[in-house]
Amino acid sequence: MSSNNAKKEILKNLINIKSIITYIIALMISTVGMGQEVSPFSIAMIGACLSGGIPVIGILIVGLIGNIIGVGAVGALNYILITLMLLILICIKPPKENDEYKNEQIQISGHIFASIILVMLAKLILTQFTVGDMILHITLAIFSVVFYKIFVNSINVIQEITEKRAFSIEEVIGASLMLSVAVSAFGEASILGLSIRNILSIFLVLILGWKNGILIGTTSGVTIGVTLGIIAQNEPIIVATYAISGMIAGVLNKFGKIGVIVGFLLGNGILIYISKGNPINLVIIKEALIASLGLLVVPKWVGIDVEELIKSDVMLPEVSGKRLGQSKEAINQLNMVSETIKDMADTYQENVGTNKTDSEIYLKNRQAFIGELLNNLDGLEENMLYEDMTKSENPIVDELFDNLLEKQEIGKEELLKAFANNNNYIVQYDDEKIAKSINEDVEQIIRAVNYAYKASKSNFIWEEKVKDSKKNIQAQLDGVSKAISNIAVKIEEGIEKNNEFVKSEKKIISALEIKEILVDTIEISKIDNRYFIDVYLKEDSKTSKNADAEQIQKVLEKTLKEQLMTNEAKTKKLSRQGKRIFCYMSEDKFILQIGQTAKTKNDSSVSGDTLLQRRLNDGKYILALSDGMGSGPEARKSSQIAIKMLERLLMSGFDKNTSIDLINTTIMNTSEEIFATLDIAIIDLYNGKIEFIKNGACPTYIKNKKKVQIVKSLSLPAGILKEINLTTYDADIKDQDILIMCSDGIIDSNIEYKNKELWVKYILEDIEATDCQKIADIILNEAIDNNYGIAKDDMSIISCKLIKK
């Protein structure tokens, strides 16, 4: 009776829902051979089950089947021999045992490595082999051990997925890697041209981002992207697609499934924009839409809970402690994403190589021509000139190539001359039949030469375009990497600084509770001596009824001993996302008055100038003017691209140098004949500093009473050179300073002065008005009068006045 019960128990352990799921995954990963003589993943899976105390009989069987399907009979034989050797080694030298709470209960990584090496070494002894074969087998052993370590720490996620418990980040990421290897078993299988492998991989990233936010979304995106990149040999841009899409999907998970789907598609959109419509990303968007439909039908209770990042017995208060842990984890994840994208950028750079000299380009183009010529001469062996044209060292062909570079096409005269210059003379015969035959041979060679040059030239131009495209992608990915890295640095720098405000936060929360304003969390930071405070309120009726921005501001000012002002832009932005929040920052010490005016070129439909004025996230104010080269819609397009990208990049955390580099490469990709200047002033109204950034822009004038200073730029507009040098200046703000920024239509309107910028300086010295708008109007009217009332170019002016409080 007890024997029957034991058999039932064994069958119950071997055949249940958990085991069947594990068998399916083991079967799928065992079919992925990666060109090896046995699937390394099948060996890693056997080791993980042995070490994790999971019944291994079913895994052995499905692993064998998987090797037969994916690798063949040789793979199946190697699998059996390695498994037997592993079991023998475990019996000969029992492995060390770990603590019960660890996933890896027995340590068998050494046994796995030794079993693979012994089996493969025996095979090499019985056959002829090279050093390369030995290195390949050692790599197989190392690869198997690495994935054994991953699988043994993640297979419990598959086994215990139905149980209500939390898993560590390492376990969840390991499980996502295991599943991404499994879906690789589908290979190139597709439905209506859409890859099943990609659809399932995207679905997995969406699930993890939906349930676990930015950290898991980003990391799973990177993990799955890299796995597919290695196994499926995808381009590096695929890794960026999964990484950025997973990150944005995780950021928007607070909006539910729709937010996650929109985030993933938005991430794809960013990469499509950067890669100029790369068809790979366009296909992935279609596959993402199919995966999104799958996400929409997933029940809400489905998901993987991740353990809290820090223990509950920390010394800091609960809110601050949680924020600190999450910030540190966010730093690690952001740095990982930054490094991954940087590696991708380096890959593009390696593929592109270094810039070639003119001689190198000439030799490469000539070699391409010779290759095409030999192809065209194939089948013309009976031609009397064939032997002379196909010699390995051929000065005749070299001379013809030089002629083609100059004239783009050769005729009979050039061909005969090239032969004569190299002591090969084509003699004309009186016999009409022979003369006709010679002329036909000459015409055949001329056609072959001309066709070869056209084909090689088009191929060479296309190759250079691809290289330029890769260079631009490399530059843009490098910029994204720097931006993410900068965000991580800022978070890390802010962690220690934020700790000093813990007592203040508690004091503020208590003071607001007395006024029946219940606070969920409060975030205080200090950047360049300026306070930034975000107050998140709890969602209840009392809070909604009693919340008052001025009342909260008074409590904050009393506690921090600092005059504050509301950060209206940030408050509105976060409030639109459904949050109950009030945002504040230290009050400006200077008042900013702005005036602007513009005039479109006579007979032009639109102005090519674009203006920007807005407050940045760090409290500083930006004024910018971009002048597109020329006038009309095309000039307008280039200046709008420059200004809109500048605004979005600076608001997203990109530094100014990276932002302008990205703008430059984008404009270069848009059109070879579209350029745009950038004239930027970043004004710190709290610390009294101003930074001028100029890229091909006109001078900026600083007027204070009768004194006028000129700030010049020596750089070229964006879109002309691949590498740009920014002109930057820093200055202290003085009370009553007036700044004037203008486009070249203003400067060039006066033809009396050799140094055209001086006429604006002189008129500013004479102007008595101090109102910004009035000053801008006076200068514009004067510029139009310079050409007898006609605007000969687009004219734009931004004028601002700085008044100390």
Side-chain angles (χ1 to χ4, degrees), residues 434-450:
I434 296 174
K436 184 179 179 182
S437 177
I438 292 173
N439 286 333
E440 286 177 354
D441 285 354
V442 170
E443 289 298 325
Q444 271 188 335
I445 296 299
I446 290 170
R447 284 195 299 271
V449 169
N450 287 331

Side-chain angles (χ1 to χ4, degrees), residues 440-603:
E440 286 177 354
D441 285 354
V442 170
E443 289 298 325
Q444 271 188 335
I445 296 299
I446 290 170
R447 284 195 299 271
V449 169
N450 287 331
Y451 288 154
Y453 180 71
K454 289 178 182 177
S456 65
K457 184 179 178 184
S458 63
N459 289 338
F460 187 73
I461 290 170
W462 175 249
E463 183 183 347
E464 290 304 310
K465 284 185 177 180
V466 170
K467 286 185 177 181
D468 284 342
S469 176
K470 284 190 174 184
K471 284 180 182 178
N472 288 333
I473 292 174
Q474 181 265 328
Q476 291 168 322
L477 287 176
D478 200 37
V480 174
S481 171
K482 288 178 183 177
I484 295 174
S485 180
N486 288 340
I487 293 170
V489 169
K490 288 176 183 177
I491 294 174
E492 191 168 21
E493 289 175 348
I495 287 175
E496 296 301 324
K497 292 179 181 178
N498 289 343
N499 290 342
E500 64 182 278
F501 302 119
V502 171
K503 290 183 180 179
S504 299
E505 289 174 3
K506 290 180 68 177
K507 190 175 180 180
I508 291 167
I509 291 171
S510 299
L512 291 174
E513 279 182 1
I514 295 172
K515 300 179 181 295
E516 295 187 341
I517 299 174
L518 305 181
V519 176
D520 184 23
T521 57
I522 181 169
E523 296 178 358
I524 303 175
S525 59
K526 206 171 186 182
I527 303 172
D528 292 333
N529 297 317
R530 187 172 200 170
Y531 280 101
F532 294 88
I533 308 103
D534 299 333
V535 181
Y536 294 84
L537 304 182
K538 289 183 178 179
E539 299 289 344
D540 69 359
S541 57
K542 285 186 177 181
T543 299
S544 301
K545 194 180 296 182
N546 295 292
D548 179 84
E550 291 184 9
Q551 205 171 18
I552 295 172
Q553 182 174 330
K554 287 178 182 178
V555 172
L556 293 173
E557 289 178 339
K558 184 177 180 181
T559 305
L560 299 174
K561 296 179 175 55
E562 177 85 359
Q563 290 295 113
L564 302 175
M565 59 185 285
T566 56
N567 191 339
E568 294 180 3
K570 189 174 182 180
T571 300
K572 288 178 181 177
K573 179 181 176 182
L574 295 175
S575 296
R576 283 197 297 268
Q577 298 175 3
K579 297 178 180 179
R580 292 280 296 154
I581 183 172
F582 291 95
C583 303
Y584 304 89
M585 58 185 173
S586 296
E587 189 176 46
D588 291 336
K589 295 179 180 178
F590 286 84
I591 298 171
L592 178 66
Q593 294 178 351
I594 298 176
Q596 66 180 53
T597 187
K599 179 72 175 176
T600 304
K601 179 182 177 181
N602 192 45
D603 297 330

